[in-house]
Amino acid sequence: MSIEVLLNTPLADALSNVVQPKLTEIGWNTGGLDDSALGEYIILMLVNGKTQDQIAAELSNDLLSLGPEDTGATDFATWLFEQVHTLNAQLQGSSAPQEQQPSQGQANGEGQMRDDNGQSEASRSQDADMGEAMDDVQDQLGQNLCGVDQNPATSE
């Protein structure tokens, strides 16, 4: 059962609150004021329906340039999806999986209009925002990849 994460909802806010400290804990943030970009991008990936494997691959390959032997992105994605399920259950007032409950958009009767691909207008807008967020994350990581020069031979 996949849980739909929507921006500006209690679930998205709760995820943001646990993702930022986790990124610092595993060393993907420097602890600086501009560290929110990677966390926000991760939330946008969830909002856009990326799978656990897709998030792990994007973090590992596109954003953090981790080596093939580094399981950090896979471990993080596993933790992230556990958090999605745990926090959703807490917000729903139960520790049981929410298999029978409709997603939030269906439950509150928002009646979102969807295109031929099943994508809502809000989701298409979030895809555009994600492109901008990706640029911000890459700029931030390019300027100071967690304060560590991962390839000193190419430093200027």
Side-chain angles (χ1 to χ4, degrees), residues 2-133:
S2 75
I3 297 170
E4 186 176 17
V5 178
L6 301 172
L7 279 180
N8 302 317
T9 61
L11 179 57
D13 293 342
L15 287 166
S16 292
N17 290 335
V18 297
V19 165
Q20 289 299 344
K22 183 68 170 182
L23 293 175
T24 301
E25 174 189 320
I26 59 180
W28 291 350
N29 275 345
T30 61
L33 295 175
D34 61 346
D35 278 345
S36 64
L38 182 58
E40 291 169 4
Y41 187 75
I42 290 167
I43 300 303
L44 284 174
M45 287 192 285
L46 289 169
V47 167
N48 284 307
K50 299 256 184 182
T51 66
Q52 182 174 320
D53 290 338
Q54 289 170 323
I55 290 175
E58 193 159 337
L59 286 170
S60 181
N61 301 328
D62 299 340
L63 297 174
L64 300 172
S65 301
L66 302 176
E69 71 286 345
D70 191 328
T71 62
T74 302
D75 295 343
F76 175 80
T78 299
W79 172 87
L80 178 64
F81 276 76
E82 289 170 357
Q83 294 303 306
V84 169
H85 288 280
T86 300
L87 293 170
N88 185 62
Q90 289 174 357
L91 291 168
Q92 297 296 326
S94 165
S95 60
Q98 303 296 313
E99 297 281 337
Q100 282 77 25
Q101 291 191 357
S103 69
Q104 187 171 357
Q106 295 166 336
N108 64 19
E110 290 178 34
Q112 296 179 357
M113 297 296 290
R114 302 207 177 257
D115 63 14
D116 292 336
N117 296 324
Q119 193 175 33
S120 69
E121 182 177 334
S123 181
R124 287 189 304 276
S125 172
Q126 291 161 355
D127 281 343
D129 292 344
M130 196 166 175
E132 293 169 12

